[in-house]
Amino acid sequence: MGVTHDETIKGAVKAANASSKKVLADMMCVEKLEERAKQLVDLGVHYICVHTAFDVQETESPFESLARIQSAVGSDHCAIAGGINANSVNKVVQYKPEIIIVGNGITGQENKKETARMIRNILNSYEVKSTNRIDLEEI
């Protein structure tokens, strides 16, 4: 969580680096997004994740928050979760986040496999950087 104490963040980064892993900071409930995102990257956090809870997506736009984070720390450090579905994924790709997490946009759909395929096809139509693509046969 992006609101975690700096010392805890440093410990997580140290442990991740020692294991050749990466740290993603979830920015849910962080008030000063850009400022904290810069601090977290300076502390060694690899990814800053804009995460907008389902209950607040009508009043908080995950896409506006992503734009703010992307402007503050660059696309290579960006991730987004919350509010991503087949209808909204096009809004995300313009910011070129390193990670796009789709939860309820797939799991909340009747035909999960077809929805996942549709989202993957949309992402593949852009030059998405990620090499960690979903194998739809695992769904």
Side-chain angles (χ1 to χ4, degrees):
M1 295 300 296
V3 295
T4 302
H5 298 285
D6 287 357
E7 292 306 315
T8 303
I9 298 287
K10 289 176 189 177
V13 168
K14 182 178 178 182
N17 289 340
S19 301
S20 299
K21 303 296 181 191
K22 296 186 178 185
V23 172
L24 179 144
D26 187 310
M27 300 299 276
M28 190 179 287
C29 297
V30 172
E31 292 183 18
K32 297 178 181 177
L33 279 177
E34 297 94 334
E35 180 181 327
R36 185 61 176 157
K38 288 177 185 179
Q39 291 170 349
L40 292 168
V41 169
D42 287 345
L43 290 170
V45 170
H46 303 89
Y47 302 110
I48 307 299
C49 184
V50 171
H51 187 179
T52 307
F54 181 77
D55 346 23
V56 297
Q57 288 174 14
E58 288 189 25
T59 58
E60 290 182 32
S61 167
F63 314 109
E64 290 175 19
S65 297
L66 178 61
R68 292 169 52 202
I69 294 293
Q70 191 266 351
S71 177
V73 299
S75 297
D76 290 346
H77 292 288
C78 285
I80 185 168
I84 312 303
N85 57 47
N87 296 320
S88 66
V89 72
N90 286 311
K91 295 178 184 177
V92 174
V93 293
Q94 67 182 313
Y95 301 104
K96 300 179 182 165
E98 189 71 20
I99 299 170
I100 300 170
I101 301 167
V102 183
N104 190 55
I106 294 172
T107 62
Q109 305 308 305
E110 188 171 315
N111 189 334
K112 294 164 184 49
K113 189 169 185 174
E114 183 54 36
T115 301
R117 186 181 317 282
M118 184 185 321
I119 291 170
R120 186 178 94 178
N121 287 340
I122 292 168
L123 291 173
N124 286 345
S125 71
Y126 294 91
E127 293 189 18
V128 179
K129 298 184 288 184
S130 176
T131 57
N132 298 320
R133 302 208 182 248
I134 296 172
D135 180 356
L136 292 178
E137 298 309 314
E138 295 178 6
I139 295 175

